Amino acid sequence: MVHRSADSRLLANLLQQEKDYSKQLGQVIESSNASLASFAAYAAASAPPTSHVIMDVAGALAAADEALRRYARGVDEWREAMRVLKDAEEEVGNIIRDREILCAFFFSCRGGSNSISE
């Protein structure tokens, strides 16, 4: 794999895609909560032997929903870490730009010499 310098547009695109993904996960979780509530109401309206089985299935689905919520929180934490990385990259880029400006100014004031050791 060829190493290329970091491109802030790639990280910005990744952050945007992850934001959309996180939003979709939230919608799935919201729909799942509504569906689980309907399923529990159906279980309550069912006859006792059947209702116990349906409640067991609802419990398994609730556990799956909780796992999905934990995953969504992990994705959000990862997004936040990537946002912090993007901010740090931008700050380093600004520092490098300012350094180049100052060096160019310094060398132009010294009479056009481009060597630091002079």
Side-chain angles (χ1 to χ4, degrees):
M1 184 170 160
V2 176
H3 181 350
R4 296 185 295 161
S5 62
D7 186 349
S8 63
R9 294 175 296 172
L10 295 173
L11 186 53
N13 184 47
L14 174 63
L15 287 170
Q16 182 59 47
Q17 296 301 320
E18 290 299 315
K19 180 181 176 182
D20 294 343
Y21 178 64
S22 183
K23 186 185 296 185
Q24 291 172 356
L25 275 176
Q27 291 171 347
V28 166
I29 291 169
E30 192 175 306
S31 295
S32 180
N33 287 338
S35 177
L36 191 57
S38 296
F39 196 59
Y42 174 70
S46 297
T50 307
S51 67
H52 295 304
V53 173
I54 295 173
M55 290 304 288
D56 289 343
V57 171
L61 292 173
D65 285 351
E66 182 56 33
L68 187 59
R69 276 188 215 85
R70 286 193 309 267
Y71 173 72
R73 280 192 300 272
V75 168
D76 289 340
E77 290 170 7
W78 185 81
R79 282 182 47 232
E80 179 61 22
M82 290 296 102
R83 189 195 59 76
V84 168
L85 176 65
K86 180 180 177 280
D87 292 346
E89 281 186 353
E90 288 174 355
E91 187 174 338
V92 168
N94 290 338
I95 291 169
I96 290 171
R97 185 201 66 226
D98 292 348
R99 178 184 169 271
E100 290 172 353
I101 291 169
L102 287 172
C103 287
F105 176 74
F106 175 73
F107 290 131
S108 68
C109 288
R110 290 189 65 198
S113 174
N114 287 333
S115 175
I116 293 176
S117 62
E118 292 181 340

